[in-house]
Amino acid sequence: MIKELAIVTNTHSKNSILWEAYIGQVQKYMEEPLYLFTDQHPAFDTSGVISLLYDATHNFRTQFLTGLMQVNHKYCLYMNEDYLLYDAPNRDKLQEYIDMFEENEELSFIRLQKGIDPFDIKVSDTLRYLDVRIPYFYSQTATLWRTNHLKAIHANGPDLHIGGEDMSQQFEVAAHETCYKLGIQGFYHYDNEPKRGEHHYDSSVFPYTASALVKGKWCSEYKEELLPIFKEYNIDASQREWT
Protein backbone atom coordinates (compact mmCIF):
# COMPACT_ATOMS: atom_id res chain seq x y z
CA MET A 1 0.00 0.00 0.00
CA ILE A 2 1.26 3.48 -0.87
CA LYS A 3 1.40 5.42 2.37
CA GLU A 4 -0.88 8.45 2.75
CA LEU A 5 -2.59 7.88 -0.63
CA ALA A 6 -6.35 7.57 -1.12
CA ILE A 7 -8.37 7.15 -4.32
CA VAL A 8 -11.17 9.71 -4.68
CA THR A 9 -13.94 9.10 -7.17
CA ASN A 10 -16.65 11.44 -8.37
CA THR A 11 -19.73 9.68 -9.72
CA HIS A 12 -23.48 9.92 -10.27
CA SER A 13 -26.17 7.23 -10.23
CA LYS A 14 -26.93 7.84 -13.93
CA ASN A 15 -23.67 5.94 -14.54
CA SER A 16 -24.28 3.25 -11.92
CA ILE A 17 -24.09 0.59 -14.65
CA LEU A 18 -20.29 0.94 -14.26
CA TRP A 19 -20.02 0.98 -10.48
CA GLU A 20 -19.34 -2.72 -9.94
CA ALA A 21 -16.79 -2.80 -12.76
CA TYR A 22 -15.07 0.38 -11.61
CA ILE A 23 -14.82 -0.69 -7.97
CA GLY A 24 -13.91 -4.24 -8.93
CA GLN A 25 -11.05 -3.17 -11.20
CA VAL A 26 -9.69 -0.71 -8.63
CA GLN A 27 -9.76 -3.32 -5.89
CA LYS A 28 -8.21 -5.90 -8.21
CA TYR A 29 -5.13 -3.76 -8.78
CA MET A 30 -4.96 -1.20 -5.94
CA GLU A 31 -4.76 -1.51 -2.14
CA GLU A 32 -5.38 2.11 -1.17
CA PRO A 33 -8.63 3.38 0.44
CA LEU A 34 -11.33 4.13 -2.13
CA TYR A 35 -13.70 7.06 -1.61
CA LEU A 36 -16.89 7.33 -3.67
CA PHE A 37 -18.58 10.77 -3.87
CA THR A 38 -22.09 10.03 -5.04
CA ASP A 39 -25.75 11.08 -5.02
CA GLN A 40 -26.82 7.55 -4.11
CA HIS A 41 -25.15 4.71 -2.21
CA PRO A 42 -24.52 1.60 -4.37
CA ALA A 43 -27.13 -1.12 -3.91
CA PHE A 44 -24.52 -3.90 -3.79
CA ASP A 45 -21.86 -4.81 -1.22
CA THR A 46 -19.08 -2.22 -1.31
CA SER A 47 -16.71 -3.59 1.32
CA GLY A 48 -13.61 -1.44 1.52
CA VAL A 49 -15.30 1.57 -0.11
CA ILE A 50 -16.10 4.80 1.76
CA SER A 51 -19.31 6.00 0.11
CA LEU A 52 -20.05 9.69 0.81
CA LEU A 53 -23.30 11.35 -0.29
CA TYR A 54 -23.50 14.82 -1.80
CA ASP A 55 -26.54 16.99 -2.47
CA ALA A 56 -27.47 16.39 -6.12
CA THR A 57 -29.03 19.87 -6.36
CA HIS A 58 -25.60 21.47 -5.93
CA ASN A 59 -23.14 22.15 -8.73
CA PHE A 60 -20.24 19.77 -9.30
CA ARG A 61 -17.71 21.99 -7.56
CA THR A 62 -19.70 21.99 -4.30
CA GLN A 63 -20.58 18.29 -4.58
CA PHE A 64 -16.95 17.31 -5.01
CA LEU A 65 -15.68 19.64 -2.29
CA THR A 66 -18.22 18.20 0.17
CA GLY A 67 -16.66 14.76 -0.24
CA LEU A 68 -13.06 15.88 -0.55
CA MET A 69 -13.18 17.76 2.75
CA GLN A 70 -13.73 14.39 4.45
CA VAL A 71 -10.53 12.92 2.96
CA ASN A 72 -7.62 13.35 5.36
CA HIS A 73 -4.92 11.56 3.37
CA LYS A 74 -1.98 13.74 2.34
CA TYR A 75 -2.22 12.59 -1.28
CA CYS A 76 -5.08 11.43 -3.47
CA LEU A 77 -5.61 9.89 -6.88
CA TYR A 78 -8.49 11.60 -8.71
CA MET A 79 -10.76 9.27 -10.69
CA ASN A 80 -14.23 9.11 -12.28
CA GLU A 81 -16.40 6.00 -12.41
CA ASP A 82 -15.72 5.43 -16.10
CA TYR A 83 -11.94 5.36 -15.61
CA LEU A 84 -11.68 1.58 -15.75
CA LEU A 85 -8.31 -0.02 -15.10
CA TYR A 86 -7.71 -2.64 -17.80
CA ASP A 87 -4.23 -3.73 -16.70
CA ALA A 88 -2.02 -3.55 -13.62
CA PRO A 89 -0.57 -0.13 -12.76
CA ASN A 90 3.16 0.26 -12.27
CA ARG A 91 3.07 0.57 -8.50
CA ASP A 92 6.82 1.17 -8.18
CA LYS A 93 6.50 4.15 -10.51
CA LEU A 94 3.45 5.44 -8.62
CA GLN A 95 5.45 5.28 -5.39
CA GLU A 96 8.31 7.11 -7.11
CA TYR A 97 5.90 9.87 -8.09
CA ILE A 98 4.48 10.15 -4.57
CA ASP A 99 8.05 10.46 -3.29
CA MET A 100 8.50 13.43 -5.63
CA PHE A 101 5.82 15.33 -3.70
CA GLU A 102 7.90 14.82 -0.57
CA GLU A 103 10.96 16.21 -2.35
CA ASN A 104 9.15 19.20 -3.89
CA GLU A 105 6.73 20.99 -1.58
CA GLU A 106 5.52 23.26 -4.41
CA LEU A 107 4.43 20.35 -6.61
CA SER A 108 0.62 20.12 -6.72
CA PHE A 109 -0.09 17.21 -9.05
CA ILE A 110 1.25 14.57 -11.41
CA ARG A 111 -1.14 13.72 -14.22
CA LEU A 112 -0.80 10.06 -15.21
CA GLN A 113 -0.95 10.54 -18.98
CA LYS A 114 0.00 13.02 -21.64
CA GLY A 115 -2.57 15.37 -23.14
CA ILE A 116 -2.19 18.66 -24.99
CA ASP A 117 1.32 20.08 -24.52
CA PRO A 118 3.18 22.18 -27.10
CA PHE A 119 6.21 22.75 -24.83
CA ASP A 120 7.51 19.25 -23.97
CA ILE A 121 9.66 20.36 -21.02
CA LYS A 122 11.41 17.25 -19.68
CA VAL A 123 11.75 16.79 -15.91
CA SER A 124 12.88 13.15 -15.90
CA ASP A 125 12.81 10.14 -18.23
CA THR A 126 9.05 9.75 -17.67
CA LEU A 127 7.88 13.19 -16.51
CA ARG A 128 7.24 16.49 -18.26
CA TYR A 129 6.56 19.91 -16.72
CA LEU A 130 3.03 21.14 -17.43
CA ASP A 131 3.02 24.85 -18.19
CA VAL A 132 0.07 26.74 -16.72
CA ARG A 133 -0.40 28.59 -20.03
CA ILE A 134 -1.67 25.52 -21.90
CA PRO A 135 -5.39 24.73 -22.31
CA TYR A 136 -6.81 22.28 -19.76
CA PHE A 137 -3.96 22.81 -17.33
CA TYR A 138 -6.53 21.68 -14.79
CA SER A 139 -7.96 18.44 -16.11
CA GLN A 140 -10.27 15.82 -14.66
CA THR A 141 -8.10 12.93 -15.76
CA ALA A 142 -6.46 10.29 -13.55
CA THR A 143 -4.06 12.43 -11.52
CA LEU A 144 -2.04 12.18 -8.32
CA TRP A 145 -2.74 15.25 -6.18
CA ARG A 146 -1.46 16.87 -3.05
CA THR A 147 -4.87 16.75 -1.38
CA ASN A 148 -4.82 20.18 0.23
CA HIS A 149 -3.98 21.77 -3.15
CA LEU A 150 -6.94 20.03 -4.79
CA LYS A 151 -9.14 21.21 -1.93
CA ALA A 152 -7.89 24.77 -2.42
CA ILE A 153 -8.79 24.75 -6.13
CA HIS A 154 -12.36 23.71 -5.35
CA ALA A 155 -12.68 25.98 -2.32
CA ASN A 156 -11.56 29.01 -4.35
CA GLY A 157 -12.87 28.06 -7.78
CA PRO A 158 -16.19 29.08 -9.36
CA ASP A 159 -19.31 27.16 -8.36
CA LEU A 160 -19.91 25.47 -11.70
CA HIS A 161 -20.93 22.08 -13.03
CA ILE A 162 -18.64 19.53 -14.66
CA GLY A 163 -20.16 19.80 -18.14
CA GLY A 164 -22.50 21.79 -20.36
CA GLU A 165 -22.65 23.29 -23.80
CA ASP A 166 -21.04 26.59 -22.73
CA MET A 167 -17.37 25.68 -22.23
CA SER A 168 -16.73 28.82 -20.17
CA GLN A 169 -19.26 27.53 -17.63
CA GLN A 170 -17.52 24.20 -17.06
CA PHE A 171 -15.49 23.87 -13.88
CA GLU A 172 -12.72 22.00 -15.69
CA VAL A 173 -12.20 25.03 -17.94
CA ALA A 174 -12.82 27.85 -15.46
CA ALA A 175 -10.54 26.30 -12.81
CA HIS A 176 -7.57 27.18 -15.03
CA GLU A 177 -7.62 30.77 -13.75
CA THR A 178 -7.94 29.56 -10.16
CA CYS A 179 -4.86 27.37 -10.61
CA TYR A 180 -2.91 30.33 -11.98
CA LYS A 181 -3.86 32.54 -9.03
CA LEU A 182 -3.00 29.82 -6.50
CA GLY A 183 0.38 29.06 -8.10
CA ILE A 184 -0.55 25.43 -8.80
CA GLN A 185 2.32 23.50 -10.37
CA GLY A 186 2.17 20.12 -12.08
CA PHE A 187 3.93 17.40 -14.05
CA TYR A 188 2.57 14.69 -16.30
CA HIS A 189 3.71 11.17 -17.11
CA TYR A 190 4.89 10.33 -20.61
CA ASP A 191 7.04 7.36 -21.57
CA ASN A 192 6.58 7.31 -25.36
CA GLU A 193 3.15 5.68 -25.14
CA PRO A 194 1.00 5.69 -28.29
CA LYS A 195 -1.63 8.35 -28.86
CA ARG A 196 -5.24 7.39 -28.16
CA GLY A 197 -7.79 9.54 -29.95
CA GLU A 198 -7.23 13.22 -30.69
CA HIS A 199 -6.07 14.72 -27.43
CA HIS A 200 -4.42 12.20 -25.13
CA TYR A 201 -2.04 9.25 -24.91
CA ASP A 202 -2.11 5.86 -23.25
CA SER A 203 -0.48 5.45 -19.85
CA SER A 204 1.96 2.66 -19.05
CA VAL A 205 2.03 3.70 -15.39
CA PHE A 206 -1.77 3.62 -15.02
CA PRO A 207 -3.54 1.78 -17.87
CA TYR A 208 -7.15 3.00 -17.76
CA THR A 209 -9.99 4.07 -20.03
CA ALA A 210 -10.10 7.86 -20.21
CA SER A 211 -13.12 7.80 -20.55
CA ALA A 212 -15.38 4.78 -21.07
CA LEU A 213 -18.39 7.08 -21.53
CA VAL A 214 -18.59 10.04 -23.91
CA LYS A 215 -21.87 11.99 -23.83
CA GLY A 216 -23.73 8.91 -22.65
CA LYS A 217 -22.23 6.53 -25.24
CA TRP A 218 -19.53 3.88 -24.90
CA CYS A 219 -16.20 5.21 -26.13
CA SER A 220 -15.20 3.20 -29.20
CA GLU A 221 -11.55 4.24 -28.71
CA TYR A 222 -11.46 1.70 -25.85
CA LYS A 223 -13.74 -0.98 -27.30
CA GLU A 224 -11.00 -3.63 -27.24
CA GLU A 225 -10.32 -2.97 -23.54
CA LEU A 226 -13.95 -2.50 -22.52
CA LEU A 227 -15.54 -5.63 -23.96
CA PRO A 228 -13.63 -8.09 -21.69
CA ILE A 229 -14.49 -5.93 -18.65
CA PHE A 230 -18.15 -5.83 -19.66
CA LYS A 231 -18.13 -9.62 -19.92
CA GLU A 232 -16.48 -10.04 -16.51
CA TYR A 233 -19.03 -7.83 -14.77
CA ASN A 234 -22.09 -8.85 -16.82
CA ILE A 235 -22.59 -5.42 -18.35
CA ASP A 236 -24.92 -5.44 -21.34
CA ALA A 237 -23.06 -3.26 -23.83
CA SER A 238 -26.18 -3.02 -26.01
CA GLN A 239 -27.80 -0.72 -23.43
CA ARG A 240 -25.84 2.15 -24.95
CA GLU A 241 -24.54 3.06 -28.38
CA TRP A 242 -20.85 3.32 -29.25
CA THR A 243 -19.30 6.59 -30.34
Side-chain angles (χ1 to χ4, degrees), residues 2-242:
I2 298 175
K3 187 179 179 182
E4 297 195 75
L5 177 66
I7 301 165
V8 298
T9 309
N10 184 71
T11 187
H12 190 278
S13 56
K14 68 181 179 181
N15 295 330
S16 60
I17 187 174
L18 287 175
W19 283 355
E20 287 193 66
Y22 171 75
I23 293 170
Q25 292 300 99
V26 167
Q27 293 184 334
K28 182 188 295 184
Y29 294 117
M30 303 289 286
E31 303 171 344
E32 290 67 31
L34 173 59
Y35 287 80
L36 204 66
F37 306 157
T38 178
D39 65 315
Q40 179 182 308
H41 291 304
F44 54 91
D45 178 28
T46 54
S47 299
V49 177
I50 302 104
S51 180
L52 301 175
L53 290 179
Y54 58 69
D55 186 335
T57 65
H58 291 160
N59 283 333
F60 160 77
R61 169 262 187 184
T62 300
Q63 292 172 0
F64 187 72
L65 185 59
T66 298
L68 192 61
M69 292 305 293
Q70 299 181 66
V71 177
N72 296 316
H73 292 74
K74 191 173 183 180
Y75 309 110
C76 64
L77 168 58
Y78 177 90
M79 297 274 277
N80 287 332
E81 81 286 298
D82 65 334
Y83 296 177
L84 303 180
L85 279 164
Y86 56 82
D87 204 349
N90 184 335
R91 295 187 59 82
D92 290 340
K93 183 63 74 172
L94 291 175
Q95 181 65 68
E96 176 188 321
Y97 289 168
I98 290 294
D99 292 342
M100 294 194 73
F101 287 103
E102 295 290 326
E103 298 165 5
N104 183 354
E105 287 295 325
E106 295 184 348
L107 181 62
S108 303
F109 67 85
I110 298 178
R111 195 180 297 175
L112 296 178
Q113 68 184 137
K114 180 179 179 178
I116 299 170
D117 177 24
F119 299 112
D120 195 37
I121 303 170
K122 204 167 186 178
V123 175
S124 72
D125 287 344
T126 60
L127 288 176
R128 303 292 193 276
Y129 175 76
L130 196 61
D131 194 291
V132 73
R133 292 173 294 177
I134 70 167
Y136 296 101
F137 173 81
Y138 176 80
S139 176
Q140 285 154 326
T141 53
T143 303
L144 294 170
W145 277 95
R146 191 183 301 275
T147 306
N148 63 348
H149 287 199
L150 187 58
K151 288 177 180 177
I153 292 169
H154 287 78
N156 291 280
D159 191 22
L160 298 173
H161 246 313
I162 197 168
E165 294 299 323
D166 184 351
M167 293 288 287
S168 68
Q169 294 302 300
Q170 294 184 18
F171 185 85
E172 189 174 25
V173 175
H176 188 148
E177 184 176 350
T178 305
C179 290
Y180 180 79
K181 290 178 178 178
L182 292 174
I184 299 298
Q185 295 188 34
F187 300 156
Y188 68 87
H189 166 89
Y190 179 59
D191 194 19
N192 298 306
E193 291 94 341
K195 195 173 185 182
R196 173 88 63 155
E198 294 184 19
H199 303 300
H200 61 274
Y201 292 71
D202 284 346
S203 174
S204 59
V205 68
F206 199 74
Y208 78 106
T209 61
S211 303
L213 287 171
V214 178
K215 296 182 178 180
K217 298 180 180 181
W218 302 126
C219 181
S220 57
E221 290 176 8
Y222 292 102
K223 192 168 188 177
E224 182 179 343
E225 290 82 8
L226 285 172
L227 288 177
I229 295 174
F230 289 169
K231 184 177 181 180
E232 180 176 353
Y233 294 95
N234 297 312
I235 295 173
D236 182 4
S238 67
Q239 291 185 37
R240 298 171 184 250
E241 297 179 1
W242 291 88

